[in-house]
Amino acid sequence: MLVLVIGDLHIPNRAHDLPAKFRKLLVPGKIQQIISTGNVCDKETLDYLRSVAGDVQVVRGDYDQNLSWPLSKIITHGPIRIGVVHGHQVIPWGDTEALNITARQMDVDILLTGHTHKFEAFEHEGKFFVNPGSATGAYHPQIEDVTPSFVLMDLQGSVVVLYVYQLIEGEVKVERIEYRKPM
Protein backbone atom coordinates (compact mmCIF):
# COMPACT_ATOMS: atom_id res chain seq x y z
CA MET A 1 0.00 0.00 0.00
CA LEU A 2 1.35 3.42 -0.95
CA VAL A 3 0.72 6.15 1.64
CA LEU A 4 1.56 9.84 1.25
CA VAL A 5 2.71 11.41 4.53
CA ILE A 6 2.45 15.18 4.33
CA GLY A 7 2.16 18.05 6.76
CA ASP A 8 2.76 21.65 7.76
CA LEU A 9 1.36 23.02 4.50
CA HIS A 10 0.14 26.27 6.16
CA ILE A 11 -1.85 27.27 3.04
CA PRO A 12 -2.74 30.20 2.74
CA ASN A 13 -1.23 31.55 5.99
CA ARG A 14 2.50 30.98 5.40
CA ALA A 15 2.59 29.54 1.85
CA HIS A 16 0.52 30.02 -1.31
CA ASP A 17 0.58 26.45 -2.67
CA LEU A 18 2.53 23.22 -2.99
CA PRO A 19 5.60 23.58 -5.21
CA ALA A 20 4.66 22.85 -8.85
CA LYS A 21 7.25 20.06 -9.05
CA PHE A 22 5.54 18.31 -6.11
CA ARG A 23 2.06 18.76 -7.62
CA LYS A 24 3.26 17.02 -10.80
CA LEU A 25 4.25 13.97 -8.71
CA LEU A 26 1.03 13.75 -6.69
CA VAL A 27 -1.38 12.39 -9.27
CA PRO A 28 -4.69 10.62 -8.60
CA GLY A 29 -4.76 6.83 -8.80
CA LYS A 30 -1.24 6.11 -7.57
CA ILE A 31 -1.57 6.74 -3.82
CA GLN A 32 -4.03 4.71 -1.73
CA GLN A 33 -4.00 6.81 1.45
CA ILE A 34 -2.84 10.21 2.66
CA ILE A 35 -1.86 10.85 6.27
CA SER A 36 -1.49 14.50 7.22
CA THR A 37 0.43 15.45 10.34
CA GLY A 38 -1.60 18.67 10.52
CA ASN A 39 -1.59 22.34 9.61
CA VAL A 40 -3.52 21.76 6.40
CA CYS A 41 -5.26 25.05 7.31
CA ASP A 42 -7.86 25.48 4.55
CA LYS A 43 -10.68 23.51 2.91
CA GLU A 44 -9.26 23.93 -0.61
CA THR A 45 -6.03 22.16 0.39
CA LEU A 46 -8.00 19.34 2.02
CA ASP A 47 -10.12 19.04 -1.16
CA TYR A 48 -6.93 18.85 -3.24
CA LEU A 49 -5.59 16.05 -1.02
CA ARG A 50 -8.91 14.20 -1.41
CA SER A 51 -8.56 14.48 -5.20
CA VAL A 52 -5.20 12.67 -4.96
CA ALA A 53 -6.49 9.83 -2.74
CA GLY A 54 -9.96 9.07 -1.42
CA ASP A 55 -8.70 8.00 2.01
CA VAL A 56 -7.33 11.09 3.78
CA GLN A 57 -6.48 10.87 7.49
CA VAL A 58 -5.77 14.17 9.26
CA VAL A 59 -4.78 15.19 12.77
CA ARG A 60 -5.20 18.76 13.97
CA GLY A 61 -2.14 21.00 14.01
CA ASP A 62 -1.72 24.14 16.06
CA TYR A 63 -2.90 26.31 13.10
CA ASP A 64 -5.83 24.14 12.00
CA GLN A 65 -9.26 25.54 12.84
CA ASN A 66 -11.28 22.40 12.15
CA LEU A 67 -11.99 21.28 15.72
CA SER A 68 -13.52 17.99 14.52
CA TRP A 69 -10.05 16.71 13.57
CA PRO A 70 -8.50 14.65 16.37
CA LEU A 71 -5.23 15.62 18.06
CA SER A 72 -3.96 12.07 17.60
CA LYS A 73 -4.85 9.00 15.59
CA ILE A 74 -3.78 5.37 15.31
CA ILE A 75 -3.92 3.68 11.90
CA THR A 76 -3.28 -0.04 11.48
CA HIS A 77 -1.90 -1.58 8.29
CA GLY A 78 -1.48 -5.33 8.74
CA PRO A 79 1.08 -5.88 11.51
CA ILE A 80 2.10 -2.19 11.60
CA ARG A 81 0.50 0.28 14.03
CA ILE A 82 1.04 3.90 13.02
CA GLY A 83 0.54 6.76 15.46
CA VAL A 84 -0.04 10.27 14.16
CA VAL A 85 0.23 13.55 16.10
CA HIS A 86 1.05 17.02 14.90
CA GLY A 87 3.97 17.33 17.30
CA HIS A 88 3.34 20.65 19.02
CA GLN A 89 2.16 18.68 22.06
CA VAL A 90 5.42 16.67 22.25
CA ILE A 91 7.76 18.75 24.42
CA PRO A 92 10.58 19.45 23.68
CA TRP A 93 9.60 19.56 19.98
CA GLY A 94 11.27 16.80 17.98
CA ASP A 95 13.11 15.41 21.02
CA THR A 96 13.91 11.68 20.63
CA GLU A 97 13.00 10.70 24.20
CA ALA A 98 9.78 12.74 24.19
CA LEU A 99 8.80 11.15 20.87
CA ASN A 100 9.65 7.69 22.23
CA ILE A 101 7.41 8.28 25.26
CA THR A 102 4.56 9.30 22.94
CA ALA A 103 5.08 6.19 20.77
CA ARG A 104 5.04 3.94 23.85
CA GLN A 105 1.91 5.63 25.24
CA MET A 106 0.16 5.14 21.89
CA ASP A 107 1.57 1.58 21.61
CA VAL A 108 2.66 2.10 17.98
CA ASP A 109 5.49 0.82 15.79
CA ILE A 110 5.76 4.02 13.76
CA LEU A 111 5.14 7.56 15.00
CA LEU A 112 4.43 10.27 12.41
CA THR A 113 4.80 13.86 13.61
CA GLY A 114 5.19 17.33 12.20
CA HIS A 115 5.50 20.84 13.63
CA THR A 116 9.27 21.32 13.20
CA HIS A 117 8.98 21.75 9.38
CA LYS A 118 12.13 19.61 9.03
CA PHE A 119 12.25 16.12 7.52
CA GLU A 120 13.54 13.46 9.86
CA ALA A 121 13.41 9.65 9.95
CA PHE A 122 15.15 7.42 12.47
CA GLU A 123 14.83 4.20 14.44
CA HIS A 124 15.00 4.21 18.22
CA GLU A 125 14.42 1.26 20.55
CA GLY A 126 12.73 -0.76 17.78
CA LYS A 127 10.32 2.02 16.80
CA PHE A 128 10.44 4.20 13.69
CA PHE A 129 9.96 7.95 13.83
CA VAL A 130 9.10 10.04 10.75
CA ASN A 131 8.55 13.76 10.34
CA PRO A 132 7.72 14.53 6.68
CA GLY A 133 8.72 18.19 7.09
CA SER A 134 6.76 20.98 5.43
CA ALA A 135 5.53 20.13 1.94
CA THR A 136 5.34 23.82 1.02
CA GLY A 137 8.55 24.93 2.75
CA ALA A 138 6.40 27.16 4.96
CA TYR A 139 8.17 29.63 7.22
CA HIS A 140 9.22 28.39 10.67
CA PRO A 141 10.67 30.84 13.20
CA GLN A 142 13.45 28.43 14.27
CA ILE A 143 14.68 27.43 10.77
CA GLU A 144 16.32 29.89 8.42
CA ASP A 145 15.61 28.05 5.14
CA VAL A 146 12.90 25.37 5.23
CA THR A 147 13.42 22.66 2.62
CA PRO A 148 10.06 21.57 1.14
CA SER A 149 9.55 17.83 1.67
CA PHE A 150 7.07 14.98 1.87
CA VAL A 151 7.27 11.21 2.25
CA LEU A 152 5.80 8.27 0.35
CA MET A 153 5.54 5.22 2.57
CA ASP A 154 5.32 1.83 0.85
CA LEU A 155 3.85 -0.64 3.36
CA GLN A 156 4.74 -4.26 2.60
CA GLY A 157 3.66 -6.36 5.60
CA SER A 158 6.17 -5.76 8.40
CA VAL A 159 8.52 -3.81 6.08
CA VAL A 160 8.11 -0.12 5.37
CA VAL A 161 10.04 1.59 2.59
CA LEU A 162 10.14 5.39 2.79
CA TYR A 163 10.76 7.54 -0.24
CA VAL A 164 11.69 11.03 0.91
CA TYR A 165 11.09 13.82 -1.59
CA GLN A 166 12.92 17.09 -1.00
CA LEU A 167 13.04 20.18 -3.20
CA ILE A 168 16.70 21.23 -3.12
CA GLU A 169 17.93 24.10 -5.30
CA GLY A 170 14.88 23.76 -7.54
CA GLU A 171 15.33 20.01 -8.12
CA VAL A 172 13.42 17.12 -6.56
CA LYS A 173 15.80 14.76 -4.73
CA VAL A 174 14.60 11.33 -3.59
CA GLU A 175 16.08 9.23 -0.80
CA ARG A 176 15.09 5.66 0.14
CA ILE A 177 14.95 4.47 3.77
CA GLU A 178 13.78 1.05 4.99
CA TYR A 179 12.31 0.01 8.33
CA ARG A 180 11.61 -3.57 9.41
CA LYS A 181 9.36 -4.08 12.39
CA PRO A 182 11.16 -6.27 14.95
CA MET A 183 9.36 -9.58 15.35
Side-chain angles (χ1 to χ4, degrees), residues 16-73:
H16 296 291
D17 204 351
L18 277 171
K21 289 187 177 185
F22 281 179
R23 273 191 178 265
K24 279 184 175 181
L25 297 170
L26 303 177
V27 295
K30 304 259 188 235
I31 296 164
Q32 285 76 47
Q33 183 178 62
I34 296 175
I35 300 174
S36 172
T37 58
N39 285 343
V40 172
C41 294
D42 72 346
K43 183 183 179 313
E44 290 78 16
T45 302
L46 181 62
D47 290 344
Y48 166 72
L49 294 176
R50 285 187 176 135
S51 77
V52 173
D55 182 1
V56 178
Q57 305 290 323
V58 180
V59 295
R60 185 171 8 120
D62 54 338
Y63 279 78
D64 287 318
Q65 296 182 11
N66 187 334
L67 300 179
S68 69
W69 292 343
L71 290 172
S72 65
K73 183 175 277 211

Side-chain angles (χ1 to χ4, degrees), residues 64-183:
D64 287 318
Q65 296 182 11
N66 187 334
L67 300 179
S68 69
W69 292 343
L71 290 172
S72 65
K73 183 175 277 211
I74 297 172
I75 302 164
T76 302
H77 287 288
I80 303 280
R81 285 176 50 88
I82 302 169
V84 188
V85 296
H86 175 61
H88 66 284
Q89 62 276 67
V90 179
I91 307 294
W93 300 331
D95 178 75
T96 299
E97 286 309 314
L99 291 167
N100 198 32
I101 289 168
T102 302
R104 283 195 317 266
Q105 288 172 338
M106 294 178 80
D107 189 26
V108 295
D109 305 300
I110 298 173
L111 182 64
L112 305 176
T113 63
H115 191 63
T116 64
H117 295 210
K118 183 179 178 187
F119 163 74
E120 194 167 35
F122 61 91
E123 264 187 81
H124 182 72
E125 295 184 3
K127 298 188 182 301
F128 194 44
F129 299 87
V130 179
N131 183 329
S134 169
T136 58
Y139 165 80
H140 190 285
Q142 295 176 336
I143 301 175
E144 190 170 320
D145 290 314
V146 177
T147 299
S149 60
F150 68 85
V151 170
L152 282 177
M153 199 165 53
D154 188 5
L155 299 158
Q156 306 165 6
S158 62
V159 177
V160 177
V161 179
L162 280 191
Y163 296 95
V164 183
Y165 291 77
Q166 296 186 45
L167 190 61
I168 300 171
E169 296 178 7
E171 296 300 319
V172 177
K173 307 288 185 196
V174 183
E175 178 185 356
R176 182 183 186 277
I177 302 169
E178 188 172 299
Y179 165 74
R180 292 180 182 275
K181 177 182 175 176
M183 298 313 247

